[in-house]
Amino acid sequence: MRLIDIFTTASGNMFRSKLRTTLTIVAIFIGSFTLTLTSGLGTGISSYIDKQVGNLGGKDVLIVQPIGQGPGSDSGPKAYDPAKKTSATAFGTTTTALTDSDITKIKSVSGIRSVEPNFVVVTDYIVGPNGKKYQVSANPYVSGTKVELATGDQVSNDVSERQALLPVDYVPALGFANNEAVVGKSVTLGVTDGNGKQHQITAALKGVQQKGLTNSGGMNTNEALTQEIYRTQSLGLPKAVTNNYQALLAKFDANASPGQITHLKDELKKKGYAAKTIEDQIGTFKAVISGIIAVLNAFAVIALLAASFGIINTLLMSVQERTKEIGLMKAMGMGGGRIFLLFSTEAVLLGFWGSLIGVGVAEVVGRVANHIVTTTFLKDLPGLQLLTFPPISILAIMGLVMGIALLAGTLPATRAARQSPIDSLRYE
Amino acid sequence: MPQPALIELKSVSKDYTIGDETLHALANVSLSIKPGEFIAITGPSGSGKSTLANIIGGLDKPDSGSVEVEGADLAKAGDRQLSVYRNKHIGFVFQAFNLQPTYTALENVMLPLVLAGAGGKERKARAQECLNDVGLADRMSHRPTQLSGGQRQRVSIARALANKPSIIIADEPTGNLDSAKGREIMTLLAGLNKQGITLIIITHDMEVAKQASRVLSIHDGAVKEGRS
């Protein structure tokens, strides 16, 4: 018997009992639909996080802090050391400070290309063409970062011009007609110095930045602007305070392997610094999301396993009903192997149709859900695709479902293949 | 020079255990059948006549002894070889016809050709030819429920002929038919035998057995030549 005939016969047999077959397909559909949605959610969220991490730039940046500080530190409470300085900054946090001597020390580690202070700058207000003052926070721009832009260009850390990116919701508030009207204009920032006196700094606008998970409304400022704000807010403060940094940004070779990065971290640890890449920092967040998605996926797989018992049941009944037919087929020369193949093919076809419909409906539902979500409560996160269905994972899901169906079909198919033709022909 | 045997059974035994009772369906049977013979196997029910036909047809295997058909030993053959043997060499005709109710007459006759791996055109052409031979040229697209008992048995004979078998085994082929239709079917089968097909009919109808060139009667697993 040719394989094409096995396939067409199996296809035909499947719909002899339409209701039973349909119900089994519905069970498989529910499982594959759920699995497609949960895995689509996982892919969508992870790729969004990855994109945001990309925005943070700096795949070649280590955030260096003294050991025992910052998120995720596991060294426990530290003994007080009067020799170590703390930085009491304008924003009121007390941390063990890093100084210029630390910069020199970190620079000496082989593999570190450059070290710059991570300035924390505070601005009071921003004012634009209509003269209204709004509160704003500033994020120092890290070279190489790709901030998501609505229009314009990234700022540059290599120029002396003081540049900034305007968050998109400040465009109408400050009195700009539209996004395009922002590029090339300037705004004024208010900064208070150590003596409580307010200064004004002018910044050129290079573009309009979108909102994202990682730039929570703050405007990106280039190095020239950041330094000017920092210099201004440090006026009147003792030098012991102004030359202290909460964290340093150490750059390394962008092509470094994970092993080399680990080595760098170990080297810095020996010198008493905790170093983390931006990915490390966001890793915890991602791990939580992955954990939730894994649990959801597990539920979907459980649904599929339940459906697989539906397949076993359907095919067992089918074998029972077709006992006499199986006997006849055997008498006419169909071998046990071909009978097994015939019923296995039916099982795989059940899996195929169930998963095809499941995947298809999930895609439609996903697109609708994406549209609703991104136009309503998550519209502030441009570029977010809550559910994404890459073809490879669609194929993997269909393959998985058909594989489960094939396994489920083994029992009925074996039973059919082993039937004695004589007993089967006598079966009433 | 005597013609070589087509089927050669040597010391074939087959027992069935029902509960704690052992039934000797075939007890040390030796038998030789030549090509083109028309054989009737008779005997009371439970005597072992179906077992004999099933062993010759490759549906069952003996507990001991050898069954040689055209030189090959069926007792030693595996599932695959037996399947090919049944497909190419044997045509079965059943008392209850065993037609597929959802298939047309043509599709039913095409089944053994499908199993043999014949191509689409070839199987259709051959099935039409077979239905033509049994006088059902005008009933090809009818389903079994639209056919009379005699016509259904003709379809099953056409199906048995599809792969040009050397042996046709018919188990009570007239058992479900009235005597007139039964005679028609016997005439058809006898005609096939005249064309050279070896015909083995299991029957307890003496009218049917009379038409055979050789009668084997079975009693408690033992085979005797001639009517019992």
Side-chain angles (χ1 to χ4, degrees):
Chain A
M1 194 171 182
R2 300 185 306 180
L3 289 177
I4 176 79
D5 289 323
I6 292 211
F7 183 80
T8 49
T9 309
S11 269
N13 287 345
M14 222 173 75
F15 285 99
R16 276 206 223 166
S17 176
K18 290 187 185 67
L19 181 63
R20 197 170 61 205
T21 303
T22 309
L23 289 175
T24 311
I25 289 180
V26 166
I28 305 165
F29 155 77
I30 293 170
S32 2
F33 173 76
T34 318
L35 184 59
T36 312
L37 278 190
T38 54
S39 96
L41 195 63
T43 323
I45 293 180
S46 324
S47 78
Y48 183 68
I49 292 173
D50 286 344
K51 227 192 281 176
Q52 294 295 321
V53 173
N55 286 350
L56 288 173
K59 286 224 187 285
D60 55 348
V61 173
L62 280 169
I63 301 160
V64 185
Q65 291 180 309
I67 279 178
Q69 192 172 297
S73 103
D74 51 2
S75 49
K78 292 171 297 166
Y80 173 69
D81 181 355
K84 280 197 173 171
K85 288 184 179 173
T86 55
S87 70
T89 55
F91 37 88
T93 56
T94 305
T95 56
T96 307
L98 294 161
T99 62
D100 290 338
S101 72
D102 291 303
I103 295 183
T104 322
K105 241 165 108 184
I106 293 166
K107 265 187 188 159
S108 71
V109 174
S110 79
I112 298 290
R113 301 211 160 159
S114 68
V115 181
E116 33 182 287
N118 186 24
F119 293 110
V120 178
V121 290
V122 181
T123 50
D124 300 335
Y125 64 83
I126 183 169
V127 62
N130 63 5
K132 286 189 189 161
K133 291 179 180 174
Y134 291 92
Q135 291 187 0
V136 74
S137 59
N139 292 334
Y141 175 78
V142 180
S143 297
T145 307
K146 286 182 207 77
V147 178
E148 267 191 74
L149 295 175
T151 185
D153 297 309
Q154 306 287 348
V155 293
S156 167
N157 282 345
D158 304 325
V159 295
S160 57
E161 185 190 29
R162 293 168 197 155
Q163 299 174 334
L165 295 174
L166 190 66
V168 69
D169 42 1
Y170 282 79
V171 173
L174 296 186
F176 290 105
N178 53 40
N179 289 347
E180 283 66 34
V182 170
V183 183
K185 300 282 165 34
S186 62
V187 285
T188 305
L189 299 171
V191 178
T192 306
D193 71 13
N195 298 323
K197 193 181 163 214
Q198 218 167 39
H199 301 259
Q200 291 195 330
I201 299 168
T202 306
L205 296 173
K206 295 291 286 178
V208 175
Q209 70 188 48
Q210 298 278 24
K211 273 192 182 175
L213 275 184
T214 49
N215 51 341
S216 44
M219 66 190 302
N220 275 277
T221 54
N222 78 339
E223 197 163 316
L225 180 58
T226 307
Q227 289 204 354
E228 179 59 18
I229 299 171
Y230 191 74
R231 193 192 61 76
T232 309
Q233 74 189 22
S234 306
L235 287 175
L237 291 176
K239 211 167 168 45
V241 175
T242 56
N243 274 355
N244 286 340
Y245 314 108
Q246 188 201 7
L248 297 171
L249 299 178
K251 283 206 168 188
F252 53 89
D253 184 0
N255 299 320
S257 68
Q260 286 170 314
I261 297 174
T262 311
H263 179 73
L264 264 183
K265 287 182 197 165
D266 289 344
E267 285 298 303
L268 287 164
K269 198 174 177 181
K270 276 184 210 155
K271 291 188 189 274
Y273 302 104
K276 282 175 182 249
T277 60
I278 290 161
E279 269 185 306
D280 290 341
Q281 290 209 316
I282 213 137
T284 331
F285 183 48
K286 228 177 145 177
V288 171
I289 300 254
S290 307
I292 294 169
I293 298 292
V295 170
L296 290 178
N297 280 343
F299 282 128
V301 170
I302 288 169
L304 276 176
L305 289 179
S308 74
F309 284 90
I311 298 177
I312 298 177
N313 201 17
T314 300
L315 288 177
L316 277 179
M317 283 172 79
S318 181
V319 169
Q320 177 104 11
E321 276 170 12
R322 276 146 64 186
T323 301
K324 206 160 183 174
E325 182 187 330
I326 293 167
L328 176 72
M329 295 293 232
K330 285 201 161 182
M332 290 191 306
M334 193 165 183
R338 294 272 137 167
I339 301 246
F340 182 89
L341 196 59
L342 182 66
F343 279 91
S344 297
T345 307
E346 273 183 54
V348 172
L349 281 172
L350 285 171
F352 171 76
W353 286 113
S355 63
L356 186 73
I357 300 169
V359 161
V361 174
E363 259 213 74
V364 173
V365 169
R367 273 164 208 264
V368 173
N370 268 342
H371 181 74
I372 292 173
V373 159
T374 49
T375 52
T376 57
F377 62 97
L378 290 179
K379 71 163 181 273
D380 289 342
L381 301 177
L384 172 66
Q385 288 280 73
L386 197 56
L387 294 150
T388 42
F389 307 103
I392 185 85
S393 61
I394 292 292
L395 287 178
I397 287 168
M398 289 189 69
L400 173 75
V401 175
M402 289 196 279
I404 290 175
L406 180 66
L407 278 180
T410 312
L411 175 70
T414 309
R415 188 171 279 197
R418 285 201 184 146
Q419 269 177 14
S420 138
I422 299 163
D423 295 341
S424 306
L425 280 168
R426 276 200 206 117
Y427 183 85
E428 291 300 334
Chain B
M1 193 178 136
Q3 216 177 352
L6 175 67
I7 305 163
E8 185 88 56
L9 277 72
K10 285 180 189 153
S11 316
V12 168
S13 293
K14 180 81 186 177
D15 293 342
Y16 286 108
T17 311
I18 300 164
D20 43 32
E21 209 179 322
T22 303
L23 184 75
H24 301 290
L26 292 177
N28 205 21
V29 171
S30 293
L31 182 63
S32 176
I33 298 171
K34 291 188 181 65
E37 278 195 275
F38 179 174
I39 292 176
I41 302 174
T42 64
S45 47
S47 59
K49 52 188 196 297
S50 288
T51 304
L52 180 61
N54 286 339
I55 284 179
I56 294 172
L59 284 173
D60 206 350
K61 282 191 182 189
D63 294 334
S64 65
S66 71
V67 185
E68 280 184 19
V69 180
E70 293 176 359
D73 191 352
L74 298 185
K76 292 195 184 99
D79 174 65
R80 193 173 290 222
Q81 288 160 285
L82 282 178
S83 298
V84 172
Y85 167 73
R86 292 195 294 263
N87 186 253
K88 303 278 183 209
H89 296 276
I90 306 286
F92 286 101
V93 176
F94 305 97
Q95 180 176 358
F97 322 133
N98 286 350
L99 299 174
Q100 283 295 94
T102 52
Y103 289 180
T104 63
L106 188 69
E107 285 166 340
N108 267 291
V109 179
M110 270 159 48
L111 259 179
L113 294 156
V114 171
L115 294 178
K121 275 187 191 160
E122 185 194 339
R123 48 172 105 130
K124 194 171 178 191
R126 175 65 190 152
Q128 284 171 335
E129 193 183 324
C130 292
L131 280 168
N132 212 20
D133 288 350
V134 298
L136 287 179
D138 55 344
R139 293 283 186 278
M140 295 203 191
S141 52
H142 287 57
R143 288 181 204 284
T145 46
Q146 299 167 305
L147 298 170
S148 71
Q151 286 171 331
R152 289 184 206 183
Q153 195 59 299
R154 283 167 190 271
V155 174
S156 92
I157 291 169
R159 182 180 63 190
L161 287 172
N163 280 325
K164 302 181 179 166
S166 45
I167 304 162
I168 283 185
I169 298 175
D171 194 343
E172 303 280 7
T174 59
N176 281 15
L177 304 173
D178 63 36
S179 53
K181 288 281 187 293
R183 273 196 296 277
E184 277 177 39
I185 291 299
M186 282 314 298
T187 311
L188 179 61
L189 287 171
L192 295 172
N193 172 248
K194 289 209 176 72
Q195 291 168 30
I197 294 175
T198 305
L199 184 61
I200 299 171
I201 291 183
I202 300 161
T203 186
H204 53 252
D205 184 343
M206 282 310 135
E207 284 300 309
V208 170
K210 255 196 265 176
Q211 298 180 45
S213 58
R214 184 177 167 197
V215 177
L216 300 171
S217 57
I218 302 193
H219 255 284
D220 298 330
V223 175
K224 275 197 306 184
E225 294 281 343
R227 261 153 236 138
S228 53

